[in-house]
Amino acid sequence: MPSLKDLKNRIASVKATQKITKAMKMVAAAKLRRAQEAAEAARPYSQRMGAVLANIAQAVGSDDSAPRLMTGTGKDDVHLLVVCTAERGLCGGFNSSIARFARDHARKLLAEGKTVNIFCVGKKGYDSLRREFAGMIVERTDLRDVKRIGFTNADAIGRKVIGMFERGEFDVCTLFYSEFKSVISQIPTALQIIPAAPADAAPQAGAAALYEYEPDASGILEDLIPRNISVQIFRALLENVAGEMGAKMSAMDNATRNAGEMINKLTLSYNRQRQAQITKELIEIISGAEAL
């Protein structure tokens, strides 16, 4: 049985931890609103970008002049998985759910005889995936020093991915991230970005309009598809930031409440043991007095 001093020290330790978790919850709540607004603002732009891409792709059709980023290599042998996670932990199962989703997809591809390469964006995803797929991780980007995610960060990642495709290092690229729904709900998502999949774009309401392109549709796609890749990566990073803050807020709230329950149990145990010790001392004093 722990002594009174041990119980007192443990109560003080748990109280200190509770202060930290409560402060982290407040910080996450303050950051969540801004991150959520940024993620929600990026969704219409990325969706509209996909719709524009689909419209131009329909005009090009199966033309031989269409960019390889849209038509692909014609093969499906080598897959690149771009796995976006957070740089820090203490956010519940947020990072592990994305890594698990990507891991299951990689195992499925390997079972089909495909070659899998992994591009890790974020420390936690790298730490989780390297245990099983260390030899498959070909690239890693660390955003730990970035205080606020910007388009330049996503564009740098997009350029690396496009460069790998142009060097013939993969045939298909899939982006993994967590779509923010609410504080307690973040959904792991997979999005194919190379080759571009215009068929997945949301159809526009009303009759289809006819457009003329200058200089030509293929020339526009040459510039639009790389930009779309960076836009989709940027959206994924923003969704991850919002999801991370929401998960961290929920996890720290649970930790704060658990610490309160533990403090109550330890305090009750401390009081019982202290009362028992006082009772024992009184009995010893009375017994000594009667012996005289």
Side-chain angles (χ1 to χ4, degrees):
M1 181 179 292
S3 63
L4 289 176
K5 184 178 180 181
D6 292 337
L7 287 172
K8 192 173 183 180
N9 290 339
R10 191 172 181 188
I11 291 172
S13 176
V14 175
K15 284 183 177 180
T17 303
Q18 186 184 41
K19 290 180 181 179
I20 294 173
T21 57
K22 188 174 182 180
M24 293 182 68
K25 172 191 171 184
M26 295 174 66
V27 171
K31 292 182 178 180
L32 173 62
R33 183 172 181 179
R34 185 172 60 188
Q36 182 177 353
E37 289 174 353
E40 291 176 348
R43 290 173 187 171
Y45 183 80
S46 64
Q47 291 169 358
R48 189 62 180 173
M49 176 73 81
V52 172
L53 185 65
N55 192 296
I56 301 177
Q58 288 176 0
V60 174
S62 59
D63 191 353
D64 294 337
S65 62
R68 291 178 70 247
L69 286 172
M70 187 185 78
T71 60
T73 61
K75 298 183 293 183
D76 187 28
D77 299 331
V78 183
H79 287 251
L80 178 68
L81 311 184
V82 181
V83 184
C84 301
T85 57
E87 297 290 343
R88 298 173 179 83
L90 298 178
C91 49
F94 174 78
N95 293 310
S96 60
S97 62
I98 301 174
R100 189 185 310 112
F101 190 47
R103 188 184 299 113
D104 292 342
H105 188 75
R107 288 171 178 167
K108 180 181 177 182
L109 291 173
L110 291 172
E112 295 173 357
K114 310 294 184 182
T115 301
V116 177
N117 295 325
I118 300 176
F119 187 151
C120 293
V121 181
K123 180 178 182 296
K124 291 300 178 179
Y126 172 76
D127 292 341
S128 178
L129 293 174
R130 69 176 178 177
R131 300 169 188 169
E132 184 176 351
F133 305 111
M136 301 179 188
I137 298 177
V138 295
E139 187 67 47
R140 176 189 175 190
T141 295
D142 193 342
L143 301 175
R144 195 181 315 173
D145 297 331
V146 179
K147 294 183 179 179
R148 188 170 183 179
I149 297 294
F151 182 75
T152 54
N153 305 115
D155 191 47
I157 298 171
R159 291 179 185 276
K160 287 183 180 180
V161 172
I162 293 173
M164 295 171 67
F165 179 74
E166 291 175 346
R167 292 191 296 270
E169 297 181 14
F170 65 88
D171 301 316
V172 179
C173 178
T174 306
L175 179 66
F176 290 85
Y177 63 98
S178 185
E179 184 176 359
F180 177 81
K181 290 296 184 182
S182 66
V183 174
I184 60 174
S185 177
Q186 300 88 32
I187 302 176
T189 304
L191 175 66
Q192 180 179 312
I193 56 177
I194 297 177
D200 295 336
Q204 298 182 14
L210 298 176
Y211 297 94
E212 292 184 359
Y213 302 100
E214 180 66 29
D216 55 41
S218 298
I220 294 175
L221 284 175
E222 287 284 356
D223 180 71
L224 186 62
I225 294 178
R227 184 179 295 273
N228 179 63
I229 291 172
S230 297
V231 166
Q232 299 303 331
I233 294 174
F234 183 45
R235 179 193 172 185
L237 295 178
L238 292 178
E239 295 278 357
N240 269 4
V241 172
E244 179 191 359
M245 291 300 108
K248 182 170 291 186
M249 179 181 170
S250 179
M252 292 301 101
D253 180 58
N254 291 334
T256 301
R257 285 190 276 107
N258 291 339
E261 294 176 1
M262 185 176 292
I263 290 170
N264 292 336
K265 291 180 181 179
L266 289 173
T267 302
L268 182 61
S269 178
Y270 175 84
N271 291 336
R272 285 177 176 173
Q273 189 168 337
R274 181 170 175 269
Q275 185 64 42
Q277 186 172 343
I278 293 172
T279 303
K280 181 180 177 182
E281 291 175 354
L282 288 174
I283 293 173
E284 290 176 351
I285 292 172
I286 294 172
S287 298
E290 290 180 348
L292 294 175

